Amino acid sequence: MTTLTNEDIWKGVLGEMEMSLSKASFVTWFKDTKIISKENGQVVISVPNGFVKEWIQNKFNKVIFQCLKQADNDIREINYVVGNPFVKTSDSKILTREIQLEQIQEINSDTDIDPKTNLNRKYTLDGFVVGPSNELAYAASMAVVKSLGKIYNPLFIYGGVGLGKTHLLQGIANKILKDNPDKKIIYLPAEKMVSELIEGIKNKTIEEVKTKYAQRDVLIVDDIQFLAAKETTQNIFFATFNNLYNRNKQIILSSDRPPKALSAIEERLKSRFEGGMIADINIPDYETRLAILKTKVKNKPISLPDEVLECIATNIQKNIRELEGALNRIIAVSDLTGREPTPKEVEKLLKAYVQASYRKTNAQAIVKVVCDFYGLTLNELLKKSRKTFLVKPRQIAMYLLREDTKASFPDIGSRLGGKDHSTVIHAYRKIVEEVENNENMKQEINLIRERIYNKA
Ligand code: ADP
Ligand code: MG
């Protein structure tokens, strides 16, 4: 039995975390983390700042501990420290390890992103595997590439988390640029667009921001469900949309739900979205999943036998990001052990990640996820108490019930322990405001939503 280095161990933990989180959360919480020492059962993990420290401690400590313990059964305690790892350890080898770790992180990070365009070069239309679940969206994308601004405008693609929306959108952009490098394209996640607009308003540079968008041949906005409920940003977006649209410039949008279900978005915008082509992406069937795995494994330094890929495709069904995560994990394990895993071992490895089936959200699901997220029982959430640790989750539950199920305020009040509808309205407005003004709150709500939509 070879002993694992701290880097190996942490790589394993990161692998686990990457599988259970969205890319954005994974990067947010685990970028620049590392094990800086492991002695006498005590592991010290360095994190970049106090906010990350608190969050990891509260939300991920248990999972991290379990993962660490799998790698080294002697581990008893984890400490998180902020900042410079060098001063806190006497291990003289740490410097070289740091360098190795940087290299590992480099491989794992998105070095393929072009800083000029925000586009990841690895997302190509050629690399997009087409099957019954996504053929409509793919065909519409190809049509748009061939005649920009002419047939389907806007193109609106929607589907669940990890099903390939971002890949397709960026694939379109990469293809357009490849065929015609002079085209002016802008790709933006909606959250980025919103923050550019807010900054523009604040710094009185909003006209420049508007002009920047208006000068494009193609505007691509990803995850439009995050377009803030704020009137000003929607007004500007509406004006930008019309401006481009009227000059036959192509607009491409993605969302996790169809236009109709975008409750925070004004009717006039929704009907704009519905005026073009709407294509959905669904959960892929077995053949498509297998084909995707075969495509992904081609780019890896290791090959895996077909039975292993079949086993992954059988076990991971709902989310292509997880499918890829599982593949990466199995490759990492084969790499560490120096041999191919048997299908039995693969099955064991995957067991923990097998997702229960998707469900539509309903009030019950939202309330349950909120309770789980904050570690509360249902009774605690419903209690008539003004303690902050209860008030905040309750307000968030009210907010989510309103936003995502469109329940009426009185209904929400009665579901949450007989609260008055004015209490619910107050809570809803408060969270709406916080989501707009407080980055942490926004992150928190995103994480909760991910759990609601991504996991049963
Ligand atoms: P979404 O934006 O819908 O959450 P992504 O586009 O980020 O999902 O996809 C998650 C991962 O799955 C990406 O690494 C992407 O390359 C991969 N993926 C999704 N669909 C396909 C597909 N049809 N072919 C190949 N890879 C895919
Ligand atoms: Mg995406």
Side-chain angles (χ1 to χ4, degrees), residues 123 160-167 169 187 222-223 225 254 321:
Y123 290 144
V161 182
L163 295 183
K165 300 182 295 297
T166 297
H167 185 141
L169 260 52
Y187 166 88
D222 202 353
D223 287 321
Q225 73 272 12
S254 85
R321 188 174 299 126

Side-chain angles (χ1 to χ4, degrees), residues 316-329:
I316 310 277
Q317 300 172 347
K318 313 288 179 192
N319 178 325
I320 298 169
R321 188 174 299 126
E322 275 167 14
L323 196 69
E324 240 186 302
L327 176 70
N328 289 340
R329 171 151 174 78

Side-chain angles (χ1 to χ4, degrees), residues 385-404:
S385 157
R386 291 180 175 277
K387 293 206 177 88
T388 321
F389 81 97
L390 296 174
V391 171
K392 183 177 141 191
R394 194 159 61 223
Q395 291 184 330
I396 287 176
M398 290 172 174
Y399 167 84
L400 288 169
L401 287 171
R402 178 66 185 174
E403 287 275 303
D404 292 18

Side-chain angles (χ1 to χ4, degrees), residues 138-151:
Y138 178 79
S141 303
M142 290 306 273
V144 160
V145 168
K146 285 210 190 82
S147 57
L148 281 181
K150 295 210 183 82
I151 30 175

